[in-house]
Structures are given as structure tokens and as C-alpha cells.
Amino acid sequence: MEFKNLSLKEIIAWIKAKKFSQKEVWDYFQERIKKLDPTLDAFNLVNSNFVEKDINSTLAGVPIWVKDVFCEKWVTTTASSRMLENFVPPYSATVIDRLNKAGMSSAGKLNLDEFAMGWSGENSALRITKNPWDITRIPGGSSSWSASSVASGMIPAALGTDTGWSIRQPASMCGIVGFKPTYGLNSRWWVMAMASSLDTPGTFTKTVEDAGLLFGIMSGFDPLDSTSEKVDTKIDPSIWNKTDLKWVKIWVPKEYFIDGIEAWVKSEIEKSISKLKELWAEIIDISLPHTEYWLAVYYIVMPAEVSTNLSRYDGVRYGYANDEWLGINELLKKNRAEWFWKEAQRRIMLGSFVLSSGFYDAYYKKASLVRELIKKDFEEAYKKVDVIITPTAPSVAWKIWEKVDDPLKMYLSDIFTVNGSLAQLPWLSIPVWFAKSEDSEQVELPVGLQILGPKFWEQKVFEVWHVLEQSLKDYIWSKKPKIWN
Ligand code: GLN
């Protein structure tokens, strides 16, 4: 059986029906990794020890891989940083514990941009992963390899984290489903921190229903995470039977049709709007007044939190240290200069600057106040509509190294995703279309569309995008990357 063609839900059903054993599924994916990983280079660690799980558990032993920031007890967890190359955590993340209890076979660690900071995967200190649709292109970032490995059928599902776009954008660039829930619903306990008020664990899957399945297991109050929310996260299973969008009001913010957006992304939105109308959704034009401040606010709040979170990696408390004793100040300086990649260093400097006395009021405090206005924009919007849709990224996957010398260009590509992160809302990106690259190779590249719901309204987000996904299913599933076979 070619398990690469099946969703998580389908594989679990086959195992439970005893048509295939857990070991056959495990071996299939191990073989596929052996075949494709030399080309895609996605894994930091592959666990090759098979352990049988309870067949009656929710996940029935299906293998799932995780971004290398989710700590697992006694399993090396590196954040793809030289600083933590040999770090072995003494605890497991709450979400990992919950998945293990539900019968996941924990199968290994996936490469990322160092400490989840990046757009393309080029910031990993360990390896450069490729996009399965075109191996000369980036798979997106920072959870790039979670996306690349699901999109290439090397694994059925993966975990990632999203701070500003790191689940939705790689999912969009690799043509799969990326889901980031409301902040505080998936615990951050023992998930390595990038920016604590934004970081949200989430998933990469082939279908929206699979995303719902994993969310049901991972989410819920965790007393170990002080920002964990006490809300009911159960999803009503009847939503998976819906076939139309009658009574759903969808807003398409006009600010999203900015100049820098690529033509195919624009036409993707237009086509999808027609599709949503066919499904009876009501489409309304809206405006979010503080749109122009999203990026500026994100790139002040995020580095401020990064600089605080990364201060513990100095080679003394955590992380790699030089052997030579240079006196404490010189030693710390040398450790951090040598073992952090340049993007981490850039953000530590930016963050320390906006938090420093004298500049705190002018930058960090002001940005935090504007963040509240951005949240209010959304609260107002959701008084009138159910969900908002936007493109996931302003472009399709670009060539490896194409933008690496221009950090500002990279920063701009977060334009459509950081707002929902600042407002801590649930987002889901699904592939809706394939565009041909503009060069002579004319490769087909996936384009994603995202849906944004009010806080704690994951159910609505799943419901609406499941209906759209089903209506596009034949087209989307007929497309496969060249390396698929
Ligand atoms: N591209 C964004 C950044 O580099 C997103 C990172 C993330 O979501 N982890 O900050």
C-alpha cells in the first residue's frame, strides 16, 4: 500500500481495521525517508526504533515527526542551532506527552530556521532543506522541513510552531494544510521559545480534518504553561459533513490587494472568492484601519521577546561554550558571537535596543499600544462577519539564496500573517491553486489561501475551509511534486 497517498485519518482507519500493521506503516515511511531525504535534506534526527502502540488509542501508532524545537525527554533537541547541537532535554513538551498518550509513534526531528527565525530555511545552522515541488527553491520557513516532508509524502503529519507565519507560509509554499490555533490553546511548555507572546504550536497535515484530529489531542488547559487558556476546545464532528457555506459571512480585507503582491496570488484570491460564492458564502469588503502598522509592530515586539528568550544561551547556563577561559565578559561574548547564526544576532541586537532605557517608551511601549489597536480592529470586524480570508504569502516559493542578502525584502514577506499572530487568532492555510513559475522551467508551484477566525473559534475555521477543500479536492490531489513517484 502506498501510504503516502493517504491522510492521517485514513492510515489510522487501515491500522484499526487490521488491514495493515503499525510496523508496515512505520517501515513504509522509513523507506521513503531513505529514498527522498538525500535530495530534500529535511531531518535532524530520524528515530529508527519501532515501538508498538495500543491499537485502540486515537492515533493507533501512526508516525508523526516534529520540528526540532519540541523537547522530548532524553532526545537531542537542537533548534537547528550550533548553540544547542548537543542539548538533551530532561522533560517532554506537554503537546508531545499528549500525542504520545494518544498513541503517536514519535519518529524524529525536523530541521528549521535557527530558533524558528526565518522565512526560507536558509537560517538553519545545520542544513538547507529543499521544496519538493522544485528542489532549487525554498520550502518556506521557519518550519520549512515539517512542510517539505509532509508535502513529499515522507511523513503523514508533522508539528510546527508559528510566531509570525512559520506554519502557514511553508504550508502554502509546499501545497499542504497548515494550522495555527488561538494563542494559549496548545501549550508552550518545553517548546523552545522564540517570542513568548506570539509562539503557537500547530500542525502540518494533508487535510483539514487531520488538522482537527491533532488539535483535539494537543489542545486544552495546561497548568504548566502560565498563558494556557481554560476553554473548551472540542470540535463538533458534524462540521465534517457540511457541503455548503450558507449563512457564512466572509470578509476579504481590501488592504490585502497591495502593490507588491504577485499577479498569480491576486488571481488566486479572485478565483477563490468566486468559488466561495458558488458555495453560498456571503462576501463583504472590509477595512482593518491599522493594517499599515502590522509589520512595524511585529518587528519591534518579536525581537524584544527574542532578545529576552535567547539571553539564557550564553554557554554557561545553556548552550555551547568555548574551552578557553577569557574572563566572564569576553567568554560570553565569544560564545554568543560564534554559536549563534547571524539572524539570531541581528534580532538580539534589535531587541536589546528597543528595550533599552531611553528607547523603551519610543519603541517597545508604543508598539505594544498599537498592538492593542490591531486586536480591536479584529474585534470590531468579527461583530459583523464570521471569518476573514487573505492570501497566505505575497509570492510563491522563491529560489534558494535569492533574497538572502536582503533582510528587508524577507521581512516584507510576512505582511499577510503577522497581524493574526499579534492578535493571537486561529489561522488555517490550505492549497487552492497552482501557478507556473515565471522562469523558463515553468514549474507548477502551490499557492495557499488562509482563513482567520475570532479567538477560540477554531471550529468555524475548520468548517469553512473543509467545505472549500472538499470542493477543490479533485484538482488539488491530482497535482503531485515531480519527486512523488
Ligand atoms: N518569518 C517570521 C520571522 O522570521 C516568522 C517566524 C515564525 O513564525 N517562527 O519572524
Side-chain angles (χ1 to χ4, degrees), residues 259-276:
D259 290 345
I261 186 169
E262 282 180 4
W264 47 36
V265 176
K266 223 177 220 171
S267 68
E268 158 226 19
I269 276 264
E270 275 150 13
K271 273 206 249 171
S272 310
I273 291 172
S274 315
K275 191 82 210 172
L276 291 164

Side-chain angles (χ1 to χ4, degrees), residues 172-183:
S172 163
M173 292 194 172
C174 289
I176 55 169
V177 175
F179 172 59
K180 165 211 172 300
T182 305
Y183 175 85

